[in-house]
Amino acid sequence: MTSPHETQPASASRDHDGEPPGVPGLRTWRGVYVFVFSCFVATVIALTIFSRVFA
């Protein structure tokens, strides 16, 4: 037997990508990804600065 996900066409699975993430202040998944990546970059920069200052 096949699962329901295997019988759906590829276009039907793309419809779920348009759903809002449900995060306050971020309306799209792209916004969520940019925010998370920005926080990661800021953390790496802060760790680099702190390691030079307190080394």
Side-chain angles (χ1 to χ4, degrees):
M1 246 185 159
T2 60
S3 69
H5 297 292
E6 293 175 355
T7 59
Q8 293 180 350
S11 62
S13 64
R14 283 190 225 137
D15 292 341
H16 298 291
D17 293 339
E19 293 179 8
V23 179
L26 301 171
R27 296 181 182 179
T28 63
W29 281 108
R30 183 175 184 178
V32 172
Y33 297 144
V34 169
F35 176 76
V36 170
F37 183 72
S38 300
C39 288
F40 173 74
V41 170
T43 301
V44 170
I45 291 171
L47 289 172
T48 302
I49 292 170
F50 292 151
S51 68
R52 291 178 189 253
V53 170
F54 294 112

